[in-house]
Structure formats: structure tokens, C-alpha cells
Amino acid sequence: MDDETFRAWAHRAADWSVDYLAGVGERPVRAQVAPGEIFRQLPEAPPAAGEAMEAIFSDLDRVVMPGMTHWQHPRFFAYFPANASPPSLVAEFVTAALAAQCMLWQTSPAATELETRVMDWLRQMIGLPDAFSGVIQDSASGATLAALLTARERALGFTGNANGLAGGPVLRVYASEQVHSSVDKAVRIAGIGDANLVRIPVTGPLYGMDPDALDAAIRADREAGLVPAAIVACLGGTGIGACDPIEAVAAVARRHGVFLHVDAAWAGSAMICPEFRDLMRGAELADSLVFNPHKWLFTHFDCSAHFVRDPKALTDTLGLRPTYLRTLGRDGVVDYNEWSIPLGRRFRALKLWFVIRSYGVAALQGMIRDHVAWARELAGIIAADPDFELTSAPVLSLFSFRYAPAGAGIGAGAGDLDALNARLLERINDDGRTYLTQTRHDGRFVIRFQVGQTTTTRADVMMAWDAVREIAAGLRAG
């Protein structure tokens, strides 16, 4: 492809992107295809000769797009969003054109130094003290794994990497049932093992970890000859937005000298609003914290902000410096590959820089405040509806509910209502007007509703609720 042809197709791709985002609200939110439907339309063998871009773009629309779930749809209320924005998309175009591998300072000094500055902006925006340093990871899962590896090494006196874990002490990690499954995965990968992830009971309206139970569990493990290595505190759990009492948990961690990691993957973005920071009180006492701008700060996936109190502990755990990875004659520079599990690193800071500069902090705060307000308003409407039950109150912009119509003839058993709500959710998502997901809460099947997509309006929230009520009424009638 020559320069002028590239220019033409680059413009075509930009126009396609703008048109797609302008019309995405008219599409079904979740892909309406059966398993294997897309795969069967793709040739079994690759083409021997190059094909025209016109044909490729045609197949993008004809084959690929029907199989896409539209995460940028204004009525995407499932999971947590991977919300993007036009400034972020423009930055991604530039990042793709630069195609830089930003593993070392010398491989792109601007990428390293911009990341350092933008991460300090984020630190200020969420109110963390300047004792913390930041790095952009690929995901909260990667950051949590890096944190637990660091905690493992600290608990072992930084001998685990050198000597392995065989024959060493049994390490323990503590968390509630409300933490994300990435904690379970990190415990496995770190060699600590499922059996040593200790689940602490929860208490209170936010289903937070019981600090007294945590303290007792650590004491019991020490008496049994086990080594407490880490506590993972939850700030805005995926199921219902559970939040641990971080300040009380941090006091336990300090008392016993245990590494504390705070997983704020979703809710951390809302901490740019000072009025929500009661939820993170005590986070300044943690050893590390992660949140994802790619969830609720209008920045394309992947962009996960990982803050650490002791960068040296992180780099002593993850860093390697073979001769071919040294920046000669530039002592003291930061090489962010030593802060991350992968060696290779994309220029992720650029899109965050574009977003923060383009919107400004005040506008970003306003968008998050709107999402929270609309979620709270809808939760109140659902709580007042005699055919529905609000099963968890809003935490920021996330709540859960279920359909529980009186006199529906389905019996009073929890299993009956679970089955009814599972059928309702299937029909909602097959309908295409909105997209919701489920969780289990207090032993019941419930439906999650989370407001956070960039272009969502109050009208979209209420339209989704109208669709839920309409489909529920049809389910009951049928």
C-alpha cells in the first residue's frame, strides 16, 4: 500500500469510526448471533494473494459487525463499561501510527516521561498522597498479580524468585468473597495456591470485610506456623459494588506487618469526585492500589493505573536487566518494563493525556456524577415498583434488583424466582434494546445494573427500564 492509498483508507477508517459511533445506539446492544455463525463465514484457508481493501471493508460490515457486542452503546449497562471517548480514539490512531515498543526509557523517552507525569496527575485527581508512584498496567488483573508477587517476595525476604517456593513456608492471602476472581488467579500464578486464599466474612451494608475476623485469621495462621503475606481489600466489587472498610483493614495490616493491596478497578475512577472518597478512606495507608481508567474514565482499553508506595519492592520483584536492556550513559532513568510483568509496553499514556487535557477534570467529574445520580434515581423507581425488588442499594452507579411479581403463580421458592429472573434476563438481552448481566447475592440470582457508558443519558437509563418492565410483563402474561 503506497502513501496515497494509505491516506485514503486511513480517512475511510476514520469516517467509518465516526459513523459507527454516531449510529451505534440504533443497533442491538448484544450480538444477536448463534455460536459458530461468524466462524462458518470465514474461509478455511488464508488467501494466497492480497485482496482489495474494498472487499475487506465490505466483509467487516457484512461478517464481523453482526457478531459484535457494542460496548460503546449508550444502553450498555452490563459488566462494567470499557468506555471510550473521541479524544481517546484520536490518541489511539496516533499511538497505532507510532507503533512504538515503550519498554525502556531510550526506546521512547517521551512515552516514559509522559507516563510518569500523567500518573502523577491521576494520583492528585483521586487524592492519594505523593508518597505513591504510578505505572500503567494492561489490566487490574495484571496489577493485582504484580502486587501479590511483590507481597510474596517481601514475606520471603526477597528470596522466592531466587530459590523458588518448594520447601519454603506456607504463605497466606486474605480477602472477602466479594473480591474479583483475578485475585484467585493471581494466587494461583504466584504459587501461593487456592487453599491459602483465606476468605474473611463480610459485614455491614457495604458487605465489607470484618476487620476483627481478619485480625483473628492472621493471628491463628501465625500461631499455626503459616506466613501472612497479603491482604486484598475491595473497593467497588464487581457483583454488587461491595466496599471493604479500608481504614480498619489497613490498621490490621499495619499491626501485623502484612502487605495491603486495594483493588478499586471500577470504583477508583469515581474517586476524582471528593464527595465519594469516604469509600476509599485509609487507601493512603495501603502498599498498592489499582483502578482502571478504561472502565470509567473515558479512556480506551487497556489502561490500568497501578500505584505503589515502594517502587523498589516492585522492581526488585519483577525487574531484570540483561545487558541488551540497559540504557547506557543514562543512569537514574525509569524503565517501566521493570514495573510490569510483560517486557513489551504500548504507549498507553498518550490516550490518557489526550482525555484529561481535552475534557479537564471538572467535566470528567460531571459525567461520573451524572451516572451516579441516574443510577440512584432508577434504583428508587425500582424499589417503589410492587413487581420488583431492589436487592442491593446503589454503590456509586451500581445496584442489583430482581423481578418478584406478587400472585404470579410461581410459588414462593427462591429457586422459582431465580429461574424466572434468569428467563427475564435472557429475554432482555435477546431483545437488543439494552444489555444487563447477573450475579448471585445473598444466595439469590439477581440482575445487575451499572451506569457508566460515555454517551449514556438519563433518557437511555429510563428507556432501558421501560424495556425491562415491558419484557417482564410479557413474560408473566406468557
Side-chain angles (χ1 to χ4, degrees), residues 86-152:
S88 177
L89 180 55
V90 171
E92 284 285 75
F93 290 160
V94 176
T95 300
L98 291 171
Q101 215 282 43
C102 305
M103 59 185 175
L104 305 171
W105 177 87
Q106 69 173 342
T107 61
S108 281
T112 295
E113 296 182 17
L114 187 64
E115 182 165 340
T116 301
R117 178 61 72 195
V118 167
M119 288 301 292
D120 194 63
W121 286 1
L122 276 186
R123 177 195 62 75
Q124 296 174 53
M125 287 165 65
I126 67 170
L128 276 181
D130 59 11
F132 285 86
S133 301
V135 59
I136 300 178
Q137 308 281 21
D138 55 358
S139 66
S141 298
T144 295
L145 174 57
L148 290 189
L149 289 170
T150 304
R152 184 196 75 186

Side-chain angles (χ1 to χ4, degrees), residues 74-78 434-436 448-451 456 460-461 464:
R75 292 187 298 283
F76 183 103
F77 301 114
T434 189
Y435 184 23
L436 307 177
R448 298 171 68 259
F449 198 104
Q450 192 277 321
V451 184
T456 294
D460 290 309
V461 174

Side-chain angles (χ1 to χ4, degrees), residues 74 91 113 121 124 207 301 305 345 371 376 384 412 414 468:
E113 296 182 17
W121 286 1
Q124 296 174 53
Y207 291 82
F301 181 85
R345 307 187 82 249
H371 295 163
R376 289 175 176 173
V468 170

Side-chain angles (χ1 to χ4, degrees), residues 38-71:
I38 305 300
F39 181 77
R40 287 190 292 272
Q41 296 180 70
L42 301 171
E44 293 184 4
E51 300 183 52
M53 287 292 292
E54 192 70 54
I56 297 170
F57 256 78
S58 175
D59 284 348
L60 169 66
D61 291 328
R62 181 181 64 85
V63 179
V64 176
M65 292 307 293
M68 293 303 298
T69 290
H70 301 289
W71 286 71

Side-chain angles (χ1 to χ4, degrees), residues 418-474:
D418 283 357
L420 176 66
N421 279 272
R423 292 198 303 275
L424 172 61
L425 184 61
E426 289 174 8
R427 294 195 184 184
I428 289 169
N429 291 336
D430 287 344
D431 173 79
R433 282 175 285 177
T434 189
Y435 184 23
L436 307 177
T437 51
Q438 75 286 340
T439 191
R440 293 200 72 82
H441 176 53
D442 286 345
R444 300 176 294 177
F445 182 102
V446 300
I447 300 172
R448 298 171 68 259
F449 198 104
Q450 192 277 321
V451 184
Q453 214 290 318
T454 306
T455 58
T456 294
T457 64
R458 180 185 178 278
D460 290 309
V461 174
M462 297 307 161
M463 188 185 303
W465 172 236
D466 289 343
V468 170
R469 291 174 59 211
E470 175 191 318
I471 294 165

